[in-house]
């Protein structure tokens, strides 16, 4: 989808107050990401990965979509190039999000901004965008809102790996739905009216079809690509 954001240079660049506000606002993601991360940990254990490698995946890839897609491609021997391509494709949106945030926080030094962007998530981008458009431009808020999400996902991976549970079933479905539900709850703050309905409808339809035909690993990748393409073509 097309991502737009107004900058407000007059507001503070980074404050601890902003960090606290962002952290508290994102606390629900500590639970939802923890549940989703635990499913990823269970799945990693099923592939035979060690706990250390499972945690490294969640730390350095740090993307539910990319990690789910690569799990769907998992085989012996591992198709490394296909997995790398899948990671690049699913995470490419973060380059656009990061570029927009870099413009908003252009006065924040790179040495401060780079570690913050390492923890960037879809929901923290949405939350920070909403804050900036309300005139509360604060890189501390971005960091604060990102931290609970990262703790939940990475910690959940370790907890799930240790749990004696199997993958699949209603637990996996619930874990997949929870993060999406929290993101959807944030969308009204980012709404641009009816112009967003078509891309989201196309993305949802393609995701459902892809899930039924190819499996859930490709659903978000292809659905997101279809929605983004629809948005770009519409605005040309």
């Amino acid at each position: 989808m097309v991502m737009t954001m107004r900058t407000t240079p007059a507001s503070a660049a980074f404050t601890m107050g902003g960090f606290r506000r962002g952290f508290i606002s994102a606390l629900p993601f500590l639970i939802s990401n923890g549940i989703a991360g635990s499913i990823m940990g269970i799945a990693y254990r099923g592939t035979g990965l060690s706990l250390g490698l499972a945690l490294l995946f969640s730390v350095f890839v740090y993307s539910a979509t990319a990690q789910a897609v690569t799990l769907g491609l998992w085989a012996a021997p591992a198709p490394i190039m296909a997995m790398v391509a899948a990671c690049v494709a699913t995470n490419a949106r973060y380059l656009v999000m990061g570029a927009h945030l870099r413009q908003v926080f252009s006065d924040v030094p790179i040495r401060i901004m780079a570690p913050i962007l390492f923890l960037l998530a879809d929901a923290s981008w949405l939350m920070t965008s909403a804050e900036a458009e309300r005139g509360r431009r604060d890189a501390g808020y971005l960091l604060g809102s990102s931290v609970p999400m990262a703790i939940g996902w990475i910690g959940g991976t370790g907890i799930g790996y240790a749990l004696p549970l199997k993958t699949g079933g209603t637990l996996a479905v619930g874990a997949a739905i929870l993060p999406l539900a929290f993101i959807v709850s944030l969308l009204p703050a980012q709404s641009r009216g009816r112009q967003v309905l078509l891309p989201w409808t196309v993305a949802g339809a393609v995701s459902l079809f892809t899930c039924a035909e190819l499996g859930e690993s490709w659903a978000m990748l292809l659905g997101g690509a279809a929605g983004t393409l629809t948005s770009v073509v519409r605005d040309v």
Side-chain angles (χ1 to χ4, degrees):
M1 287 63 173
V2 172
M3 293 172 288
T4 59
M5 183 161 51
R6 296 193 302 270
T7 62
T8 55
S11 52
F14 188 105
T15 68
M16 289 307 299
F19 177 88
R20 286 191 295 271
R21 284 191 300 108
F23 188 89
I24 293 171
S25 297
L27 279 177
F29 288 96
L30 187 64
I31 299 173
S32 63
N33 280 20
I35 295 173
S38 68
I39 299 300
M40 188 61 63
I42 296 169
Y44 277 144
R45 189 188 68 230
T47 65
L49 281 178
S50 67
L51 173 60
L53 286 176
L55 290 173
L56 284 176
F57 266 107
S58 286
V59 169
F60 290 105
V61 179
Y62 186 49
S63 168
T65 49
Q67 290 175 246
V69 168
T70 53
L71 268 177
L73 298 173
W74 206 275
I80 301 299
M81 294 306 298
M83 288 182 171
V84 171
C87 282
V88 171
T90 53
N91 286 347
R93 69 191 185 279
Y94 289 117
L95 293 175
V96 180
M97 293 178 183
H100 277 266
L101 290 175
R102 186 57 193 146
Q103 291 177 354
V104 173
F105 300 116
S106 58
D107 53 339
V108 180
I110 290 291
R111 69 179 184 278
I112 296 176
M113 203 65 200
I116 296 176
L117 291 178
F118 182 80
L119 296 177
L120 180 64
D122 297 86
S124 61
W125 182 87
L126 281 170
M127 295 168 68
T128 304
S129 297
E131 284 290 293
E133 291 191 348
R134 297 186 188 107
R136 298 195 290 262
R137 183 186 67 101
D138 196 326
Y141 184 92
L142 174 60
L143 177 59
S145 61
S146 298
V147 168
M149 302 177 195
I151 293 174
W153 180 253
I154 298 167
T157 300
I159 293 172
Y161 191 99
L163 291 175
L165 298 175
K166 296 181 180 180
T167 57
T170 56
L171 182 61
V173 173
I177 291 175
L178 274 174
L180 178 61
F182 277 111
I183 291 176
V184 169
S185 71
L186 296 170
L187 289 179
Q190 290 298 303
S191 176
R192 300 292 182 272
R194 294 183 179 180
Q195 64 180 342
V196 304
L197 292 179
L198 180 60
W200 277 100
T201 300
V202 171
V206 171
S207 295
L208 289 173
F209 176 81
T210 303
C211 187
E213 297 296 324
L214 301 178
E216 63 275 8
S217 295
W218 291 101
M220 189 171 291
L221 170 60
L222 297 182
T228 300
L229 180 61
T230 300
S231 184
V232 170
V233 170
R234 183 201 57 192
D235 292 337
V236 169

